[in-house]
Amino acid sequence: MIRFLKLTMAVAGKDIRSEWRTKESLNASIAFSIVVLLLFSFAFDPASESTKEFAGGLLWLVFMFAGALIVNRSFARELPNDCLDVLIASPLPMAALFLGKAIACFTLLMVIELISLPVFGIFYDITWWNQPGWLMLILTMTTWAMSVVGTLFSALTVNLRLRELMLPMLLYPMLIPALMAAIQLTTVVLTTDPVGGDNYTWVKLLVGFDIIFTSLSLALVDFVLVR
Amino acid sequence: MRDKLLAGAGALAAVLFVRNLYVMFMQIGDEVDQGAIYRIIYFHVPAFFTAGMCYIASMLASAYTLWKKDLRADAFAMSATEVGLAFAAVNLLTGMIWGRIIWGIWWAWDPRLTWALISWLVYFGYLGLRKAIDDPSERANISAVVNIFAFTSVAITWKAIVWWRTQHPAPVLSIRGADGKIDPAMEAMIYTNWIPLLLMATIFIAIRLRQERALRELDAMRRWAHST
């Protein structure tokens, strides 16, 4: 178990380090999310009061677009020089490889989200620190959902001809449960209303989504990677 | 022999269907609040059940594909998904017609309807993914994993009317613990009309599987021709 965790962290560390040194998808994603935020401001009046009602939705759409860029690179990064084949042939358990990559995606996504959040607050005049505990909880759980499903689908589509097209097409519908929950909860959290009542259903959904999809991915990853 | 079996099943489905139409229009009366339009439930619910059965079958076939590396199970999963999609479309369309009459709108974005649509899109994506992979065993592997993932959306659709307060009616069938909310004769009709739809789905899947087998044979012949 300890060995498994060590290997997982080694993969995660490797991914984060190589991303940190080139910053290619990190910079692109941050720039991309800011551009999308800018574009949304043309679609409707960002100064109006009603903005608060769909602020959660906007935010998560931006994060999801940026997330697709990150998870797409997760396995595609290993294609040059046949790194992926070497990783698969190495004595590393596939679950550790997968989990490590998911953790790396999760870290990168969190960085992007924490950078875009203040930008979002400034552009749309939204106070997002009303309930920091809940916000962090929602961010963490939804980002984990995005990373774990995204990494698995990145592994699935890595060898396809239309990889850039196939990944979002498969990933977005699959993520809708987590995304719906995150949007509902974020909209509540951005106001001063406490989270309660019907909204607990969404929290439960988010927790359930994380547990089910993490275990499902870990169970199936061997079939995906080893051909 | 197989042709005769299929034709027999088709004839049985047709006879049952005509009988059901007679009973639901001539013998079971109108619903008190909704009038005649409520009869769409005799198609709406069985179509969903049939689609659900197809999805379950295709999920099980996908698991078997991963376990035994069996390409025939993969072909079955694909056929069942295609037929399931057709019945899910019937379910969505009949629901929309009913909603137009009773609610006044074609579509309401409540969890049940949304998730029924999500499942449809997810399975549609599964079929699209299959087209993008050339190697048969790789296609079987990858699409089987996607299929198992896709099934979660069906499970959520099934439970959505219990978990949320939806615009879609709450459970009325006694199999979902809602005793006495629906007239027993009406509930019985829902199940009775499910039988011809299930028979139809079985026939469609069998035909689709036959096409798939022919396609594989053609493929093998083409490869043989190229190799000599």
Side-chain angles (χ1 to χ4, degrees):
Chain A
M1 191 64 206
I2 300 289
R3 196 181 113 79
F4 180 84
L5 284 179
K6 262 190 190 155
L7 289 170
T8 307
M9 289 328 282
V11 174
K14 168 196 89 66
D15 265 25
I16 294 171
R17 218 174 304 129
S18 73
E19 181 54 48
W20 191 250
R21 285 182 187 158
T22 58
K23 296 196 188 64
E24 48 178 4
S25 54
L26 203 58
N27 279 346
S29 305
I30 292 173
F32 180 71
S33 38
I34 291 173
V35 168
V36 175
L37 276 178
L38 183 72
L39 284 179
F40 277 153
S41 74
F42 298 124
F44 51 84
D45 181 15
S48 80
E49 261 308 296
S50 60
T51 311
K52 287 201 170 49
E53 278 159 31
F54 46 81
L58 279 186
L59 201 58
W60 281 106
L61 281 185
V62 171
F63 291 166
M64 202 164 68
F65 288 150
L69 289 179
I70 293 281
V71 295
N72 193 10
R73 292 289 304 153
S74 181
F75 274 88
R77 185 186 293 126
E78 313 288 357
L79 283 181
N81 303 327
D82 296 328
C83 291
L84 188 56
D85 293 338
V86 177
L87 277 175
I88 291 171
S90 71
L92 186 70
M94 287 305 113
L97 173 64
F98 168 76
L99 211 56
K101 284 201 165 288
I103 291 171
C105 283
F106 174 79
T107 318
L108 295 172
L109 269 171
M110 281 305 270
V111 170
I112 294 168
E113 288 169 10
L114 292 178
I115 291 176
S116 345
L117 208 54
V119 178
F120 177 71
I122 293 166
F123 277 176
Y124 290 85
D125 188 26
I126 280 167
T127 41
W128 47 272
W129 54 85
N130 284 327
Q131 305 180 57
W134 273 110
L135 187 67
M136 278 317 287
L137 190 73
I138 297 162
L139 273 184
T140 322
M141 286 199 299
T142 316
T143 312
W144 178 250
M146 271 160 64
S147 318
V148 81
V149 182
T151 311
L152 189 84
F153 278 71
S154 162
L156 279 172
T157 53
V158 67
N159 285 321
L160 300 189
R161 271 171 289 146
L162 299 166
R163 178 175 17 121
E164 277 84 3
L165 195 68
M166 279 325 242
L167 180 67
M169 194 185 91
L170 293 169
L171 183 60
Y172 289 161
M174 207 62 89
L175 277 178
I176 291 173
L179 207 68
M180 269 169 93
I183 290 174
Q184 292 280 341
L185 291 170
T186 311
T187 309
V188 175
V189 165
L190 288 179
T191 64
T192 44
D193 301 342
V195 176
D198 251 13
N199 288 316
Y200 275 122
T201 315
W202 294 107
V203 179
K204 272 187 252 168
L205 179 76
L206 209 49
V207 175
F209 188 94
D210 277 353
I211 295 173
I212 291 172
F213 279 90
T214 309
S215 30
L216 205 56
S217 306
L218 284 176
L220 292 175
V221 68
D222 273 307
F223 296 112
V224 177
L225 286 171
V226 183
R227 301 171 211 277
Chain B
M1 180 62 201
R2 209 151 160 223
D3 280 338
K4 277 187 191 143
L5 254 178
L6 284 182
L12 183 62
V15 170
L16 264 175
F17 198 63
V18 172
R19 181 253 169 202
N20 285 347
L21 280 177
Y22 176 77
V23 173
M24 75 177 75
F25 280 102
M26 298 302 171
Q27 294 185 355
I28 304 178
D30 284 358
E31 213 258 357
V32 183
D33 298 324
Q34 301 180 3
I37 184 70
Y38 92 95
R39 286 192 179 82
I40 215 162
I41 198 180
Y42 297 138
F43 299 92
H44 180 68
V45 178
F48 176 72
F49 284 172
T50 313
M53 284 293 141
C54 291
Y55 291 151
I56 291 175
S58 101
M59 191 262 294
L60 293 176
S62 293
Y64 188 79
T65 312
L66 285 181
W67 183 34
K68 293 280 185 193
K69 308 279 171 224
D70 189 345
L71 286 182
R72 275 172 310 175
D74 177 58
F76 179 81
M78 188 272 286
S79 318
T81 306
E82 277 189 2
V83 175
L85 268 179
F87 279 96
V90 170
N91 167 256
L92 283 173
L93 290 175
T94 50
M96 281 161 77
I97 295 169
W98 181 85
R100 181 75 185 85
I101 306 279
I102 299 293
W103 298 337
I105 42 172
W106 292 102
W107 187 265
W109 288 104
D110 84 340
R112 179 56 171 275
L113 276 71
T114 312
W115 251 296
L117 185 64
I118 294 170
S119 322
W120 206 90
L121 289 175
V122 168
Y123 279 103
F124 196 74
Y126 160 83
L127 292 179
L129 173 77
R130 296 184 61 93
K131 297 247 181 333
I133 312 171
D134 293 327
D135 180 55
S137 62
E138 194 179 340
R139 178 169 57 216
N141 233 343
I142 289 181
S143 55
V145 173
V146 174
N147 197 310
I148 293 173
F149 266 81
F151 190 73
T152 53
S153 66
V154 179
I156 299 179
T157 312
W158 174 253
K159 290 302 271 183
I161 46 175
V162 185
W163 287 345
W164 288 280
R165 271 173 293 177
T166 52
Q167 185 162 358
H168 183 283
V172 292
L173 300 181
S174 54
I175 49 161
R176 302 196 64 173
D179 281 322
K181 281 202 183 168
I182 186 171
D183 188 274
M186 291 179 181
E187 180 162 0
M189 190 69 226
I190 291 179
Y191 302 134
T192 326
N193 212 29
W194 185 17
I195 300 171
L197 292 195
L198 262 184
L199 281 171
M200 260 160 77
T202 319
I203 297 166
F204 288 155
I205 294 175
I207 293 174
R208 191 70 188 81
L209 266 177
R210 184 180 301 172
Q211 289 175 347
E212 201 57 22
R213 201 176 53 221
L215 209 68
R216 246 203 327 272
E217 270 168 30
L218 264 178
D219 223 35
M221 268 146 79
R222 193 178 294 129
R223 245 174 306 173
W224 175 78
H226 279 298
S227 63
T228 48

